[in-house]
Amino acid sequence: MVQEKVIVVDFGGQYNQLVARRVRECNVFCEIYSYRTDLEQIKAMNPKGIILTGGPNSCIEKDAPTYQRELFELGIPVLGLCYGAQLMQHILGGKVENAPVSEYGKTEVIVKKTSPLFADVSEKTICWMSHFDYISQVAPGFEITAHTADCPVAAAENKEKGLYVIQFHPEVLHTPEGTKMIYNFVRNVCGCAGTWRMDSFVENSIKEIRQKVGDGKVLCALSGGVDSSVAAVMLAKAIGKQLTCVFVDHGLLRKNEGDEVEAVFGSEGQYDLNFIRINAQERYYNKLADVTEPEEKRKIIGEEFIRVFEEEAKKIGTVDFLVQGTIYPDVVESGLGGESAVIKSHHNVGGLPEYVDFKEIIEPLRDLFKDEVRKAGLEMGIPEYLVFRQPFPGPGLGIRIIGEVTAEKVRIVQDADAIYREEIANAGLDRSIGQYFAALTNMRSVGVMGDERTYDYAVALRAVNTIDFMTAESAEIPWEVLQKVMGRIINEVKGVNRVMYDLTSKPPGTIEFE
């Protein structure tokens, strides 16, 4: 059966992945494409629906991102959000102008419940507005279906042609009934059956891997994190001993993590695969000596990661495929999806040197968001303590240490992080916080310990709540928990005399430190 799909056409909106995530919550597969994607390519995908994202531009300005009018004549339902709404109206003959009153933040919207988009939505509902232009006159054939005190066209539709526009952002949590609106579009307007489910995804992925690999040999980049662990188990279920998992202990893992990974996937573990552990700590520390720039550190770690695998592959013999635990946010944040700027380079995504000696890369989780990866893991019977392990970046502690990476700094952040995670778990908060970890700043300051002055490092504690890891807010950890963590770190971790808590949201910050 051909998988039904809704596509998101991205005009540079900061919430593009949230849109895709909300569609998937409706059990409908969704992917993001740039507005530069050719119309013929979109037609070839045969989508059940198309969603146009917001964006930072004004559609009435010269050289603003746009699209062909024919997009709206394909007979495929189209939903325009914010910039996408204004652009649709502009192209189809409506009028877009600078708004006399810009709207930002939570706003009461009055909707017409007769609209298919607003079925089961309150007549007065709170929505998240963010616009300086507005639709002053709808295009021919459109009916206004929502308004606010300052925005005469908060939503409009041409029901006959399946064209809908919404001036606000239904995809963000600040629009409490936004998920209903997206559900109404993809399931009711587009007629999607909602067959995108994790049990069928896992079953189909295992079949596809088995067919693709044949009798070939596969090398898996196993870090021990959630993503690579789920990918490894999926491959093991598909091809068994044809899979060799190489675990590189680059000295940038969390405390005792190397031994924990070996215990799970090694010869005493429960999975039918070949496991090799490489202790490459000194090799990495030497490569990273005197390097302080974050992107350069990432690239060095990623390059060395590939070199280690290349060397190991030659020892093993012919290796046909390399498996990586790439997930969808990695793809988009690395500049390979939609219109997003490059937020980070990542050793799991693209950019492999031409002389890497593998026929092909297999990325079985490339289409999944983090929570979907966890669902896939549970579906395959992976223990919960592994599935719900704290996310860990490919470059490891190399990007949780500001400035130069040394063995001493790694020890400090490992010990501080272990204490932090232990106390979060003791407080019963480990499942309610999206991600939490300790990072080592490059700041040293004067302190007093006992009767002596110290000049030591400051540790920063990070904890965020997030659904999709694309946006995040700092978590409100009880004061007594933070005080206990601070006391233990300063008393137990040599080289630290100050502990800080990071309140920054994403955006403007990132979840990781570098």
Side-chain angles (χ1 to χ4, degrees), residues 19 40 47 77 88 93 143 147 154 157 169 173 183 227 254 261 293 321 364 366 374 415 425 430 450 459 477 495:
V19 178
E40 292 303 314
M88 186 195 298
E143 174 192 355
H147 68 276
E157 65 187 35
H169 289 280
L173 292 178
Y183 181 95
D227 304 333
R254 289 169 287 208
V261 171
E293 204 278 319
F321 300 93
R366 187 182 177 91
R374 290 196 169 105
D415 289 347
D430 49 321
V459 162
I477 297 177

Side-chain angles (χ1 to χ4, degrees), residues 125-342:
T125 186
I126 298 300
C127 301
W128 186 259
M129 287 284 190
S130 180
H131 66 102
F132 53 86
D133 284 350
Y134 80 129
I135 300 163
S136 59
Q137 182 179 320
V138 295
F142 278 79
E143 174 192 355
I144 298 172
T145 54
H147 68 276
T148 73
D150 295 308
C151 182
V153 186
E157 65 187 35
N158 184 329
K159 196 183 301 184
E160 184 184 343
K161 293 187 176 180
L163 303 178
Y164 296 82
V165 295
I166 295 179
Q167 180 58 71
F168 49 86
H169 289 280
E171 69 273 22
V172 300
L173 292 178
H174 302 300
T175 302
E177 295 188 280
T179 300
K180 288 183 186 177
M181 301 171 196
I182 292 175
Y183 181 95
N184 286 337
F185 178 71
V186 300
R187 297 292 292 272
N188 300 336
V189 174
C190 300
C192 293
T195 55
W196 166 249
R197 299 183 188 279
M198 202 44 62
D199 53 353
S200 57
F201 171 81
V202 169
E203 182 182 344
N204 292 336
S205 295
I206 290 172
K207 286 179 183 175
E208 288 171 7
I209 290 167
R210 195 175 289 138
Q211 184 176 8
K212 183 172 190 172
V213 171
D215 58 359
K217 288 186 179 179
V218 180
L219 185 63
C220 178
L222 179 63
S223 71
V226 176
D227 304 333
S228 69
S229 295
V230 172
V233 172
M234 188 176 285
L235 266 292
K237 286 181 175 291
I239 58 172
K241 290 287 188 181
Q242 290 170 248
L243 171 68
T244 298
C245 285
V246 176
F247 168 55
V248 178
D249 187 345
H250 48 27
L252 302 171
L253 299 170
R254 289 169 287 208
K255 190 171 184 178
N256 301 326
E257 194 160 48
D259 294 339
E260 292 172 3
V261 171
E262 185 168 4
V264 172
F265 290 98
S267 57
E268 302 300 317
Q270 59 180 296
Y271 301 111
D272 183 31
L273 50 82
N274 301 306
F275 177 84
I276 298 171
R277 178 176 178 176
I278 301 171
N279 294 308
Q281 294 92 330
E282 290 306 315
R283 176 171 173 170
Y284 273 85
Y285 295 158
N286 290 336
K287 286 279 186 179
L288 291 167
D290 301 320
V291 179
T292 60
E293 204 278 319
E295 198 65 11
E296 188 178 354
K297 284 197 288 185
R298 284 181 180 273
K299 287 176 179 175
I300 288 172
I301 294 168
E303 171 74 13
E304 203 61 20
F305 188 80
I306 294 298
R307 297 284 72 78
V308 171
F309 274 106
E310 189 176 51
E311 292 166 14
E312 200 57 38
K314 288 175 181 174
K315 295 178 189 175
I316 294 169
T318 303
V319 174
D320 303 292
F321 300 93
L322 173 67
V323 176
Q324 294 182 330
T326 310
I327 66 174
Y328 203 44
D330 295 333
V331 175
V332 176
E333 289 202 350
S334 299
L336 300 179
E339 282 297 299
S340 293
V342 177

